[in-house]
């Protein structure tokens, strides 16, 4: 990985004088990016759009020397990641010093640190004058505008995507609510039918009760009038059977 693969980094940094000074300093904007003709080189541009415009271009050889001086291990790609993370961090400072004949400071130094207690990246910056400074500021302004357009485009696309997703979610929610209402209606109807059937079974009509009672009485009468079989009749002990015809013949 080289700096050519890195997206340009824009940021705002507050500058401070290296020594006490009564000259106030305005906020600075910076841009850090790789070089088109040398992806392993790094360019840093800092300006307050007034009398302080600074630049530094560091080759791979210079950056590797920096890597050894500050004691950062690992390979080149890891060092590129470390520089990128340091510049993107919240701990970025701009130290300015000296007085330039054209106004403002004569030198500056950008200091960045990935995290507390970790090695600090320190890059010296040279002052740009006259046309070079104006050209650099104009280029930065144009690049900021392009970056703004890209961010705005991404924001619009994200808003459109969120709107589409919210529309889909709303439609699915409405569909789900309709399905739930339908299921609830069917469930209530089924419960109502079951309740009516249960009530009709538990409550008998007067005609049914009368028919039932009549049937029970008929069954009882049939049981009462049943003729007992001859072999089960009780025998009357001491009874004399008389043949009527024989008696008449005797007279």
């Amino acid at each position: 990985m080289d700096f050519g693969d890195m997206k340009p980094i824009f940021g705002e940094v507050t500058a401070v004088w290296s020594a006490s000074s009564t000259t106030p300093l305005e906020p600075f904007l910076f841009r850090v990016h790789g070089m088109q003709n040398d992806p392993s080189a790094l360019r840093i541009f800092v300006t307050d759009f007034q009398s302080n415009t600074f630049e530094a271009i560091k080759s791979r050889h210079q950056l590797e020397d920096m890597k050894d001086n500050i004691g950062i291990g690992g390979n080149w790609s890891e060092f590129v990641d470390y520089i990128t993370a340091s510049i993107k961090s919240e701990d970025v400072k701009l130290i300015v010093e000296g007085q330039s004949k054209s106004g403002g400071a004569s030198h500056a130094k950008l200091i960045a640190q990935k995290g507390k207690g970790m090695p600090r990246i320190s890059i010296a910056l040279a002052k740009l004058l006259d046309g070079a400074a104006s050209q650099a500021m104009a280029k930065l302004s144009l690049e900021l505008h392009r970056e703004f357009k890209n961010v705005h485009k991404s924001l619009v696309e994200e808003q459109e995507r969120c709107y589409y997703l919210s529309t889909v979610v709303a439609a699915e929610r409405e569909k789900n609510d309709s399905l739930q209402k339908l299921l609830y209606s069917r469930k209530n109807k089924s419960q109502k039918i079951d309740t009516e059937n249960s009530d009709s079974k538990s409550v008998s009509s007067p005609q049914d009760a009368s028919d039932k009672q009549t049937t029970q009485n008929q069954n009882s009468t049939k049981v009462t009038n049943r003729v007992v079989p001859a072999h089960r009749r009780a025998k009357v002990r001491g009874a004399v059977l008389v043949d009527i015809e024989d008696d008449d013949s005797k007279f």
Side-chain angles (χ1 to χ4, degrees):
M1 177 180 176
D2 285 321
F3 294 108
D5 302 323
M6 178 186 73
K7 289 186 63 175
I9 303 172
F10 295 90
E12 181 181 352
V13 60
T14 301
V16 295
W17 290 99
S18 61
S20 59
S21 175
T22 58
T23 304
L25 293 170
E26 299 293 333
F28 282 73
L29 292 180
F30 68 83
R31 183 179 188 269
V32 180
H33 63 96
M35 302 291 291
Q36 292 182 353
N37 58 346
D38 186 3
S40 62
L42 185 68
R43 179 177 183 262
I44 301 172
F45 172 72
V46 182
T47 183
D48 63 356
F49 293 94
Q50 296 186 39
S51 57
N52 291 302
T53 300
F54 303 94
E55 181 187 48
I57 298 176
K58 298 294 182 182
S59 66
R60 176 166 180 168
H61 178 71
Q62 292 173 317
L63 293 172
E64 285 181 337
D65 288 343
M66 179 195 301
K67 175 176 176 293
D68 295 335
N69 292 333
I70 61 180
I72 297 179
N75 55 35
W76 170 251
S77 295
E78 292 173 341
F79 182 58
V80 171
D81 291 338
Y82 186 83
I83 292 179
T84 303
S86 298
I87 295 174
K88 288 182 177 180
S89 71
E90 302 250 342
D91 194 1
V92 180
K93 299 176 181 178
L94 182 67
I95 309 298
V96 296
E97 57 184 358
Q99 292 291 331
S100 174
K101 293 181 180 180
S102 59
S106 58
H107 300 86
K109 183 184 297 183
L110 186 72
I111 299 175
Q113 191 174 20
K114 182 178 180 180
K116 187 176 181 180
M118 302 187 72
R120 294 194 306 173
I121 303 295
S122 179
I123 299 177
L125 304 168
K127 190 178 182 72
L128 296 178
L129 301 174
D130 302 329
S134 299
Q135 185 179 1
M137 286 187 286
K139 187 175 182 179
L140 176 61
S141 299
L142 181 60
E143 290 169 346
L144 284 172
H145 176 66
R146 288 174 179 171
E147 185 67 16
F148 169 77
K149 288 179 62 177
N150 291 334
V151 172
H152 182 263
K153 181 181 178 181
S154 299
L155 178 60
V156 171
E157 291 175 350
E158 184 66 19
Q159 288 175 338
E160 291 176 350
R161 189 177 72 88
C162 290
Y163 176 76
Y164 170 75
L165 291 177
S166 63
T167 303
V168 172
V169 171
E172 289 297 324
R173 183 181 293 112
E174 183 177 357
K175 182 179 178 181
N176 183 64
D177 291 341
S178 299
L179 181 60
Q180 292 293 333
K181 290 179 181 179
L182 179 61
L183 293 176
Y184 181 75
S185 176
R186 289 182 177 179
K187 182 179 179 182
N188 286 345
K189 185 176 180 180
S190 177
Q191 290 177 346
K192 184 178 180 180
I193 293 174
D194 292 341
T195 302
E196 292 175 351
N197 291 338
S198 176
D199 293 342
S200 63
K201 291 180 180 179
S202 60
V203 180
S204 300
S205 65
Q207 183 64 37
D208 293 339
S210 176
D211 293 343
K212 185 176 180 181
Q213 183 65 34
T214 303
T215 302
Q216 291 177 350
N217 292 338
Q218 290 176 353
N219 292 337
S220 176
T221 303
K222 290 180 180 180
V223 173
T224 304
N225 295 335
R226 288 179 59 187
V227 179
V228 179
H231 67 275
R232 295 180 59 187
R233 296 174 186 170
K235 295 181 180 181
V236 181
R237 295 183 181 276
V240 178
L241 300 177
V242 179
D243 190 346
I244 298 175
E245 294 181 356
D246 291 343
D247 292 341
D248 292 339
S249 63
K250 291 179 181 182
F251 294 101

